[in-house]
Amino acid sequence: MGLLQATLVRKDLLTTDVFELEYQLSEKKEFIPGQFITFILPGIGGRAYSILEQNNESIILVIK
């Protein structure tokens, strides 16, 4: 699978250090909850997160 663009559309604070993030994807892809996705950020590099849920063209992650 190639690289996709993702835009943060929602950020909810669940506890003092846990966030639920929803990202809109640049194209529709099928993901499985629990599957890992790697975010590559310029100047920072890559970091993998587990997908909590997928809704249409967006994915939801919970991160600490």
Side-chain angles (χ1 to χ4, degrees):
M1 182 181 295
L3 297 177
L4 297 174
Q5 296 289 323
T7 303
L8 182 65
V9 293
R10 184 173 56 84
K11 177 181 172 183
D12 291 330
L13 182 63
L14 301 179
T15 67
T16 57
D17 61 351
V18 177
F19 293 89
E20 182 177 279
L21 306 175
E22 182 175 356
Y23 285 91
Q24 184 77 35
L25 301 177
S26 60
E27 59 187 80
K28 184 158 176 76
K29 295 286 184 183
E30 294 296 322
F31 294 100
I32 300 168
Q35 180 178 351
F36 283 87
I37 188 168
T38 301
F39 283 81
I40 300 171
L41 303 171
I44 297 174
R47 181 143 184 193
Y49 296 97
S50 178
I51 297 171
L52 175 68
E53 182 180 339
Q54 181 176 10
N55 294 324
N56 299 320
E57 294 178 7
S58 66
I59 56 171
I60 298 172
L61 312 171
V62 173
I63 65 166
K64 179 174 182 177

